[in-house]
Every structure is written in structure tokens, then in C-alpha cells.
Amino acid sequence: MTQLTTDQRALAASAVAAGTPLALWRVAGAAGFDALVATSAPRQVPVFGAAPDPGFVIAPFRTENGNAALLFQADILIGVGTRRFRMGNGWSDRPVTDAQARLLSPAPPGPVQATEGADPVAGTPRADYIARVARTVAAVREGPCDKIVVSRVETRALPESYDLCDLVEALAAAHPHAFVALATSAITGTWLVATPEVLLQLDGGTAYTMALAGTVWPEADVDIDSLDWPDKIVEEQALVSAYIREAFAAEGLTQAEETPARSVRAANLCHLRSEFRCAFADGRALAGLLNRLHPTSAVCGMPRTPAREFILREEGDTRGFYTGYLGPRDIDGATRLFVNLRSARVSGRRISLHVGGGIVAASDPELEWQETVEKTKTIGRVLPEV
């Protein structure tokens, strides 16, 4: 299902009007959206290794601890045919606080729109990005990195009548195999996401993650199982898999099962992916694993530390929550964290699409620019014309 329910739309409108944190999301294969509202500001929490506290978490690219994220506490949770209200450590089927009740009052009429942000990020001209890629290629050739992921921003205008609820619905319809979300708060800004990459998931006693590498954009009718991946992509994917394998082992999770790499489609793009699963781990092991996995090589590079240092020197803090992670935490016993890829920040009537690519010694700056153009289509294809 790719549409919000009437209750979810009403809750979203009330939350945005009140300035309270809101998250709407649709997991691939789910029956529909979930809507969550917090009645207080986001607070930083450890994702794993702490007392369960249902909510929605979002973490930036730049962080000292990969297990730390901002939590939108689940004070109101509306699914398909369900309404729950936080009551201490449990749930009620009706509001139990005045703040919860107020958010059920009729919202002001009109479209649901993002507030104007205080820190707009300028777009990256084509020539500037090509020059950035050239500098990155030179840095990789000099060492010590085998790969560095650099990004750019493309800013577009939105029509006066746009509606955030319409946009997240359109993303869900266009990308049935992606995790689609809208997350907004005064601290984080407003983010639209349609990401193909799981960072770490705990559900039903099983921990799960994936290694993702390579990007091509074949025609829609191409059999992706027949794709012939270049040796450098196959090698890169193997390196990413090895890193994940070592991360599991370092946290004592030695029984992880790994699938062979295969081609997968994500909207108009294709990637090479392998998957990892292991039996339930305790909170401390999961906290350590998350800290080792974030940021992934798909959004940072290898080795991670010098790649991240180069990115921060080259891009500054323009990424914000792009290439961080987000997702529901401790909702019905499951935590699902996704890399914040194929995403955009909305501020007033401006939307900033964040895109990037992994740069290696053989990268061609012109081709890397075209790859980012293809990646803008994930969200760009659902944007209304101005």
C-alpha cells in the first residue's frame, strides 16, 4: 500500500502545524505506512544497549559514536487500522495526555509543508563537482584510500501548493522495494528518503545487514542477472563484505551467514549486493556492530577513517543527515535502520537533493557527474513541476 490513511494525514498536518517531531515510513513489503509523532523535542540516545524506548531515530553522517542517534519518541503511533498512545512503558488506545489529545484536533487547512530552514545548503555547480572528483581521484592515487565517496547538492524549487504527504506517497508508489520515509523536526530539518540500503536490522531474533557496491543504470527491460560487473566493482564489493565479516567477528558474532553477491535493482539504478544474518545478539554487541558499520563504505570509503577525514575537509558539514541513518527503533520489538541515501532536505519551497558516488583511482570525473544525475531521478521523478 502506498497511501497514507486519513488518520495519518491528519496527524501529520497537526504535527507539522505544532512544530513537533514527525516520522512517516513505509518498509518494503509492508501493508502500508506507519506514522509517529513525539510530543517533546528529539533527544540523543544509544540505539542499542539501552532500555527499550520505542521511537524513530535519525543520525548524521558526522558522529563520534555510530550507536548514538536522535530519538523521536513514539508518543502517538498510527498504523494501518491501529492507533496507539504512549502510556508510561505501555500503550493505550486513546490519548492519555493533553499534548496527545491536542494533536488529534483538526489541523489547519491547506497543504503540509516544511518550515524554512535556517541553514540552507547551496547547490554544487557541475564544474565544481567535476573538480572535486578530480581532486578525489588524485588523493586515492596518492593513498592511503582505495575509495572515497564524495557528494554534491542539487537544489530545486517546489510549487506553492506542494504537500509533503503527497511527496512521500509518490515516492512509495515509485519505489516499492525501497524504505521510504519523511522525517521532520526543528533540530533535524525535513528529510524525504527512498533508500535501498539496510544499515542494521534486528527483527525476530535475527540481526541483518548488507554489503552494497557499484552503480549502473541499465534500460528497464534488461535482465539484471545478466549484468557483467567490472572487476573493480566486484573487488570493491568483496572488500566491503570482508569489512562487514570482520565487524561481526570483532563483536563476537562469529556465526553470521553470508549470501553470494548478486545484482539488485533500486528504481532506475542497479547495485551489487550480498547479505549477512546472524542469530540474536545482546545489546552491547549490537551497539559495537552499529558503531563499526556507520558510516558504511558505500557512503564514506575505505579505509573509513582517512576517507571520512578527506570528505569533511572537502565538503565541510554540508551533508548533515544525508549518508547518516534513520528508521524505527523498538517498534513491536523490531529495529530497522537504513542508510540515508537517495534523500533530499526540504526547506520552505526549496528541496535540496543530495547525491554522490564512490571514487577510485580509475574514476572518470565526467562519468561520475552523470552517475549523480541518474541518482537525482530517484526523488526528482516524483517532484511536481513549478
Side-chain angles (χ1 to χ4, degrees), residues 1-4 26 33 165-178 180 193-194 267 378 381-382:
M1 182 175 175
T2 59
Q3 290 186 316
L4 297 162
R26 195 281 322 266
F33 278 91
C165 291
D166 292 343
L167 290 180
V168 77
E169 283 186 341
L171 276 179
H175 307 296
H177 303 298
V180 174
V193 183
T378 299
R381 66 188 292 189
V382 306

Side-chain angles (χ1 to χ4, degrees), residues 45-97:
V45 300
V47 179
F48 294 111
D53 194 358
F56 189 94
V57 292
I58 180 168
F61 169 73
R62 184 174 189 170
T63 178
E64 297 300 321
N65 178 4
N67 188 49
L70 290 172
L71 174 71
F72 296 9
Q73 182 173 283
D75 291 311
I76 302 178
L77 190 59
I78 298 181
V80 178
T82 64
R83 289 170 30 133
R84 289 182 281 178
F85 302 85
R86 185 184 182 94
M87 183 175 63
N89 293 324
W91 299 100
S92 169
D93 60 2
R94 63 190 64 189
V96 295
T97 68

Side-chain angles (χ1 to χ4, degrees), residues 310-341:
F310 179 91
I311 291 166
L312 293 174
R313 289 195 304 270
E314 185 68 38
E315 299 181 17
D317 284 323
T318 57
R319 291 193 181 194
F321 291 89
Y322 167 65
T323 63
Y325 63 83
L326 75 172
R329 171 188 186 255
D330 288 320
I331 301 292
D332 296 325
T335 294
R336 306 174 189 272
L337 308 177
F338 298 83
V339 181
N340 191 357
L341 284 175

Side-chain angles (χ1 to χ4, degrees), residues 245-254 292:
R245 201 178 303 124
E246 292 165 4
F248 271 87
E251 297 303 328
L253 307 173
T254 57
R292 292 177 186 276

Side-chain angles (χ1 to χ4, degrees), residues 85-282:
F85 302 85
R86 185 184 182 94
M87 183 175 63
N89 293 324
W91 299 100
S92 169
D93 60 2
R94 63 190 64 189
V96 295
T97 68
D98 290 342
Q100 291 172 351
R102 283 195 297 270
L103 286 165
L104 294 185
S105 302
V112 178
Q113 298 186 343
T115 57
E116 188 76 35
D119 56 344
V121 177
T124 312
R126 180 177 181 276
D128 288 1
Y129 185 70
I130 288 175
R132 174 173 290 168
V133 172
R135 290 191 296 271
T136 308
V137 169
V140 170
R141 290 174 178 173
E142 292 171 4
C145 293
D146 298 311
K147 167 188 170 183
I148 303 174
V149 181
V150 292
S151 69
R152 70 176 179 90
V153 179
E154 182 173 311
T155 300
R156 302 183 187 180
L158 290 169
E160 186 175 352
S161 60
Y162 86 90
D163 190 299
L164 291 170
C165 291
D166 292 343
L167 290 180
V168 77
E169 283 186 341
L171 276 179
H175 307 296
H177 303 298
F179 173 76
V180 174
L182 166 70
T184 181
S185 76
I187 293 177
T188 61
T190 300
W191 290 85
L192 276 169
V193 183
T195 177
E197 186 173 358
V198 173
L199 177 61
L200 185 58
Q201 182 172 294
L202 180 65
D203 189 11
T206 299
Y208 168 86
T209 189
M210 62 174 59
L212 200 69
T215 302
V216 293
W217 43 98
E219 296 297 328
D221 59 352
V222 169
D223 178 7
I224 63 172
D225 290 331
S226 68
L227 290 176
D228 186 16
W229 291 94
D231 288 344
K232 70 182 185 73
I233 298 299
V234 175
E235 292 169 5
E236 177 190 338
Q237 207 282 333
L239 287 171
V240 175
S241 295
Y243 179 85
I244 293 176
R245 201 178 303 124
E246 292 165 4
F248 271 87
E251 297 303 328
L253 307 173
T254 57
Q255 303 302 314
E257 299 177 358
E258 179 181 352
T259 65
R262 64 185 182 92
S263 299
V264 294
R265 190 180 289 277
N268 59 311
L269 308 174
C270 285
H271 309 287
L272 198 58
R273 186 179 81 191
S274 56
E275 301 175 343
F276 296 78
R277 290 179 174 83
C278 74
F280 175 77
D282 63 28

